[in-house]
Amino acid sequence: MIRLDAAQLLEHAEELADLLAGTVNGGASVGFLAPLGRAEALAWWEERAADVAAGRLVVWAALDADRVLGTVSLAFPGKPNSRHRAELVKLMVHPDARGRGLGRGLLTAAEDAAVAAGVTLLHLDTETGSPAEHLYRSAGWTPAGAIPDYAADPGGVLRPTTIYYKHLPATALTR
């Protein structure tokens, strides 16, 4: 598992695009509608490079010899009153790699990096009833509530979303 800088993100953008398109086209709700084409997924990842370079986004990738098996990101808000928190976004694991602890490993890497950056609160949203909810709950995340009809699933159907948060230990570091 590696933390990608902007150049590495661009180097792995095609593999990340394949993972994103496959995840969406496989039915997971991560912000896109199906069918998601490779070109659209690639453009989305390439646009993230500027945020990585600016420190607004941190991206990790779990790699094997020839492809990205999983990814997760932390998005840092730009407002002065919210520098203590970050949003966990786009946790995805390739279907072939599921059930091996990769999702938990990615989640742990993001949480550990957040602590090291002085973040004391993480939050995320996920489709209510999705398999991801089990991972978040078992990793100590707390559901804050569900919002009905929050986002369309890949098929375009409005679905509820559950908001989760996790308090992290405070450190002397600040971002």
Side-chain angles (χ1 to χ4, degrees), residues 15-105:
E15 299 160 58
L16 289 162
D18 289 340
L19 176 62
L20 176 59
T23 299
V24 171
N25 294 332
S29 181
V30 291
F32 296 87
L33 298 176
L36 178 62
R38 188 171 196 266
E40 183 182 353
L42 179 60
W44 186 86
W45 276 111
E46 289 174 341
E47 290 169 4
R48 306 284 77 77
D51 289 334
V52 170
R56 293 184 297 265
L57 183 71
V58 180
V59 178
W60 288 267
L63 307 170
D64 72 359
D66 62 344
R67 66 182 172 165
V68 172
L69 293 179
T71 186
V72 68
S73 300
L74 281 179
F76 295 97
K79 300 173 194 161
N81 73 341
S82 55
R83 292 195 176 127
H84 67 287
R85 64 180 160 93
E87 181 179 9
L88 187 100
V89 294
K90 302 292 185 272
L91 175 58
M92 297 179 274
V93 175
H94 191 281
D96 294 347
R98 291 183 186 153
R100 294 190 246 161
L102 190 56
R104 183 163 310 271

Side-chain angles (χ1 to χ4, degrees), residues 136-159:
Y136 300 131
R137 287 177 190 260
S138 69
W141 288 70
T142 302
I147 303 171
D149 297 337
Y150 183 79
D153 68 13
V157 177
L158 292 178
R159 304 272 303 143

